[in-house]
């Protein structure tokens, strides 16, 4: 019992330190990802406190387990909020918004977990209750992986943490489900006379610990890297605008030149800017005249030479 007590204290301290660090960063920088992580961790703390009480107070454990089998409101709220926060964090890292179908998935998750307790008491009923939560975590992991693979518009730091969270979510959603299956069907008891539930999932604890480690790493290292990357992007944008001004590009020519630097073909440029291919060809021709070049392959070299010459001038000054 002493080991379990110390284990719980260590978990709560870790969650609290991570949540406090996230809140400090949110108050300082007002970035939503820090707020999302703070809410996420606060429900980690709440869940662990409830589990801790079921492990040390028999009366509370009996009442909680009885309620869980009929109206598991507390556990459902914790699961739904955690599911929402994990999806929120992934979308913030991916620079996207939560999509309508994802909101629908959250609603389905909540309804499933509210209706399942209406079934007759059995191990299968409890397994069905936990199942959608792990499936949703698996979905979040695969969604994060998909966003990581589409790295366009993401900084290296955002892509890296999307990948790490994706791997954690995919691996541990399966591990948690396997542990739930074993414990529910082999250790817990759900007879009419005896209800004994082992509420702690060790794989879930390991997942939460690794999430904390990942979060602290992001707060203390990844965030500073992301700030540096943002400053580099601003500098790159200024340089791009200076180049376009030096060659007297129009606003439309600037837009097309940016896409030419990304090696886009005329049809791709036309589709992205909602122009006809003929109009794009005309603008590309005008850009070539202003740059005094004849081939697309010369564009990147000319732009890189301009950046090097500018850097040399700045160093010379």
């Amino acid at each position: 019992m002493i080991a379990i007590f110390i284990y719980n204290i260590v978990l709560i301290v870790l969650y609290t330190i991570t949540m406090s660090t996230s809140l400090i960063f949110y108050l300082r920088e007002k970035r939503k990802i820090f707020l999302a992580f703070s809410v996420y961790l606060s429900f980690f703390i709440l869940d662990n406190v409830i589990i801790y009480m079921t492990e040390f107070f028999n009366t509370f454990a009996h009442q909680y387990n009885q309620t869980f089998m009929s109206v598991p409101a507390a556990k459902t709220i914790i699961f739904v909020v955690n599911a929402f926060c994990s999806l929120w964090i992934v979308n913030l890292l991916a620079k996207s918004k939560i999509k309508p179908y994802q909101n629908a998935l959250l609603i389905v998750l909540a309804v499933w977990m509210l209706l399942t307790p209406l079934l007759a008491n059995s191990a299968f009923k409890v397994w069905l209750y936990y199942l959608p939560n792990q499936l949703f975590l698996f979905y979040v992991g695969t969604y994060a992986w998909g966003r990581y693979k589409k790295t366009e518009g993401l900084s290296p730091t955002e892509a890296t943490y999307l990948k790490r969270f994706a791997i954690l979510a995919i691996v541990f959603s399966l591990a948690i489900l396997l542990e739930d299956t074993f414990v529910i069907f082999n250790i817990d008891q759900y007879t009419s006379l005896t209800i004994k539930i082992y509420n702690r999932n060790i794989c879930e604890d390991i997942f939460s610990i690794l999430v904390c480690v990942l979060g602290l790493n992001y707060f203390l290292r990844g965030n500073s890297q992301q700030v540096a990357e943002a400053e580099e992007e601003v500098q790159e944008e200024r340089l791009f605008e200076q180049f376009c001004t030096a060659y007297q590009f129009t606003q439309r020519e600037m837009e097309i030149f940016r896409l030419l630097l990304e090696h886009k073909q005329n049809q791709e440029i036309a589709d992205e800017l909602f122009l006809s291919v003929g109009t794009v060809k005309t603008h590309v021709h005008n850009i070539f005249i202003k740059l005094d070049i004849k081939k697309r392959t010369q564009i990147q070299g000319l732009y890189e030479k301009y950046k090097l010459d500018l850097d040399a001038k700045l160093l010379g000054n």
Side-chain angles (χ1 to χ4, degrees):
M1 293 298 287
I2 295 177
I4 296 175
F5 174 78
I6 294 173
Y7 175 74
N8 274 287
I9 294 300
V10 170
L11 279 182
I12 291 174
V13 169
L14 176 62
Y15 297 156
T16 303
I17 290 173
T18 309
M19 184 185 71
S20 301
T21 305
S22 183
L23 276 174
I24 290 169
F25 273 87
Y26 174 69
L27 294 173
R28 190 174 68 186
E29 301 183 18
K30 302 299 181 183
R31 291 179 57 201
K32 288 183 179 179
I33 191 167
F34 299 128
L35 176 61
F37 212 88
S38 299
V39 176
Y40 197 30
L41 267 295
S42 68
F43 277 81
F44 278 11
I45 294 171
L46 175 61
D47 191 32
N48 195 73
V49 167
I50 292 174
I51 292 171
Y52 167 78
M53 291 178 69
T54 64
E55 291 171 334
F56 277 84
F57 302 102
N58 292 330
T59 302
F60 176 83
H62 177 73
Q63 293 176 347
Y64 176 80
N65 291 337
Q66 290 288 345
T67 303
F68 173 79
M69 295 301 293
S70 56
V71 188
K75 199 69 175 179
T76 300
I77 291 171
I78 290 169
F79 276 150
V80 172
V81 172
N82 281 347
F84 170 77
C85 287
S86 63
L87 190 60
W88 189 15
I89 290 168
V90 168
N91 275 297
L92 288 171
L93 281 173
K95 293 183 177 178
S96 61
K97 295 181 179 180
I98 294 179
K99 299 166 181 59
Y101 82 86
Q102 292 173 333
N103 284 321
L105 286 176
L106 286 166
I107 293 172
V108 170
L109 174 68
V111 171
W112 181 291
M113 299 179 82
L114 288 172
L115 294 181
T116 302
L118 298 178
L119 300 172
N121 286 355
S122 67
F124 184 64
K125 162 187 167 178
V126 177
W127 184 82
L128 281 178
Y129 174 82
Y130 284 109
L131 176 63
N133 187 62
Q134 311 318 330
L135 293 179
F136 191 88
L137 182 60
F138 182 83
Y139 160 74
V140 172
T142 56
Y143 174 68
W145 184 263
R147 297 299 302 179
Y148 155 70
K149 299 299 288 185
K150 298 177 181 178
T151 55
E152 185 176 340
L154 298 181
S155 70
T157 299
E158 290 164 337
T160 297
Y161 283 91
L162 270 176
K163 178 183 178 181
R164 291 174 180 175
F165 187 82
I167 293 171
L168 276 182
I170 292 171
V171 171
F172 279 92
S173 63
L174 298 174
I176 293 167
L177 179 59
L178 287 173
E179 184 178 340
D180 276 346
T181 302
F182 175 78
V183 172
I184 290 170
F185 288 102
N186 295 279
I187 298 177
D188 292 347
Q189 297 179 33
Y190 303 99
T191 64
S192 57
L193 298 176
T194 305
I195 295 178
K196 291 184 178 180
I197 301 176
Y198 184 71
N199 291 287
R200 185 176 298 282
N201 185 299
I202 300 301
C203 289
E204 200 167 56
D205 285 351
I206 296 172
F207 171 73
S208 64
I209 290 169
L210 292 176
V211 166
C212 287
V213 172
L214 188 64
L216 288 170
N217 185 268
Y218 178 79
F219 304 148
L220 303 177
R221 293 182 58 189
N223 186 52
S224 59
Q225 292 172 358
Q226 198 166 359
V227 170
E229 289 164 1
E231 291 174 353
E232 288 179 7
E233 288 177 5
V234 170
Q235 185 64 30
E236 180 67 28
E237 184 63 25
R238 287 175 182 169
L239 193 147
F240 175 81
E241 292 175 357
Q242 288 176 0
F243 180 91
C244 293
T245 301
Y247 284 94
Q248 299 181 333
F249 287 170
T250 63
Q251 184 62 38
R252 181 63 78 186
E253 288 169 350
M254 286 179 63
E255 294 172 354
I256 292 174
F257 180 68
R258 190 190 299 275
L259 297 175
L260 287 172
L261 287 173
E262 297 175 5
H263 308 291
K264 297 289 181 68
Q265 299 301 313
N266 290 342
Q267 185 62 60
E268 294 174 301
I269 296 172
D271 293 342
E272 188 157 339
L273 298 180
F274 303 101
L275 300 172
S276 68
V277 175
T279 300
V280 171
K281 288 181 178 179
T282 299
H283 285 300
V284 171
H285 178 70
N286 292 335
I287 290 171
F288 280 18
I289 291 174
K290 291 181 179 181
L291 295 178
D292 192 23
I293 60 175
K294 295 182 179 180
K295 298 179 180 179
R296 287 174 179 250
T297 54
Q298 295 175 273
I299 291 175
Q300 192 71 40
L302 185 64
Y303 184 62
E304 293 299 328
K305 184 178 183 302
Y306 178 85
K307 292 197 292 184
L308 290 172
D309 290 344
L310 188 62
D311 288 341
K313 288 180 182 178
L314 291 173
L315 289 173
N317 293 335

